[in-house]
Amino acid sequence: MCFFGHRFFKTEMFFVGFLAMLAVSLPLFELGTQLSNEDVIVTGILLGVLSGMIWILVWVCLGIPVVSLLLTGGVLGYLFASLIFFTPFGSLDSLRNGVSYSMVFMSIILFLTAFLLPLNKLLSIAATSLVGSYSFTVSIDQFTRGSLSYIVLNSIRHGYNHFVEAFVYTPFQTNEIVLSVVWGILSISGAVFQVYRERNRPPFPPPPYRTWRTYVQATRELENSSDEESHDQEREPLIQSRLPAFLYGATVDAVTGERLLDGMAQNH
């Protein structure tokens, strides 16, 4: 995803649809249901898979990059806002109120999405490189017992009633510094690689539905034109016959209509 996310655009659509639904469904099911933590996670994953498939269908049927990249911009903005609130900025007393926290958080998401949406190809490359490299880094962070996973977990947990006014101060030690450097290197290298790879290609792949519809229309037009040509052509006789010379004074080819010299009459 970090190096080939924009190239495999439908995979990107599934990825952002899955992440967006997972980030939204976990707080909602935690607050609105009596399910256990394991059930909430499993339900969120299932809904994420369904959301990813639906978002692929949006691209397949509509084929409008701006519409399909709305969710991509939201996922990128969510990660960027979570990263900002993971810094000392998120520890301000003015942000301990749930309403203030939500308003500032959503403002960051909307601003980043609106800013990058006109640059839709750049938005797609930036989102896949940054989010893809973060996913890879967090998978390593789980084994090293680091704190990079709390960048997103803190934002998700602020949707819970018992976590609204809580701020978690996580340690930032050697392993976090190393993983942060790895994350930055992967993000930059992935973005540069994708920009270089896609420099001479179309901004987005052709929508599958429109491609299929164009193919069907072209096939129908080709069949109709071939039928018209077959009707216009005359059937040639099996035996080439000639009209007698005494009717026209010369031999006339019955097929071509050309007037030929009556060589046989002259010889006789």
Side-chain angles (χ1 to χ4, degrees), residues 65-67 69-70 73 110-124 203-204:
V66 175
V67 176
L69 289 176
L70 285 174
L110 294 176
F111 173 78
L112 186 64
T113 304
F115 179 75
L116 292 178
L117 195 59
L119 309 172
N120 42 31
K121 183 178 180 179
L122 179 62
L123 172 59
S124 176
F204 293 93

Side-chain angles (χ1 to χ4, degrees), residues 131-200:
V131 179
S133 59
Y134 176 74
S135 302
F136 174 78
T137 308
V138 167
S139 63
I140 301 176
D141 182 73
Q142 295 298 313
F143 294 99
T144 60
R145 298 184 181 274
S147 59
L148 290 184
S149 59
Y150 287 95
I151 294 177
V152 175
L153 287 178
N154 284 345
S155 301
I156 294 176
R157 289 174 178 173
H158 270 83
Y160 303 160
N161 287 332
H162 58 276
F163 205 85
V164 173
E165 299 180 358
F167 285 87
V168 179
Y169 297 92
T170 56
F172 202 74
Q173 300 175 354
T174 304
N175 55 342
E176 283 85 3
I177 295 175
V178 173
L179 289 177
S180 298
V181 172
V182 172
W183 180 22
I185 293 175
L186 286 177
S187 300
I188 296 174
S189 59
V192 172
F193 177 79
Q194 291 193 72
V195 170
Y196 177 78
R197 178 183 174 84
E198 302 294 329
R199 68 189 187 281
N200 295 325

Side-chain angles (χ1 to χ4, degrees), residues 20-60:
M21 178 56 69
L22 189 65
V24 172
S25 61
L26 291 181
L28 291 179
F29 281 101
E30 181 71 21
L31 293 175
T33 63
Q34 301 297 326
L35 298 175
S36 62
N37 292 333
E38 292 78 9
D39 295 337
V40 169
I41 294 175
V42 172
T43 305
I45 292 175
L46 293 177
L47 289 177
V49 172
L50 180 62
S51 175
M53 297 174 65
I54 293 175
W55 203 243
I56 290 177
L57 290 177
V58 171
W59 164 250
V60 170

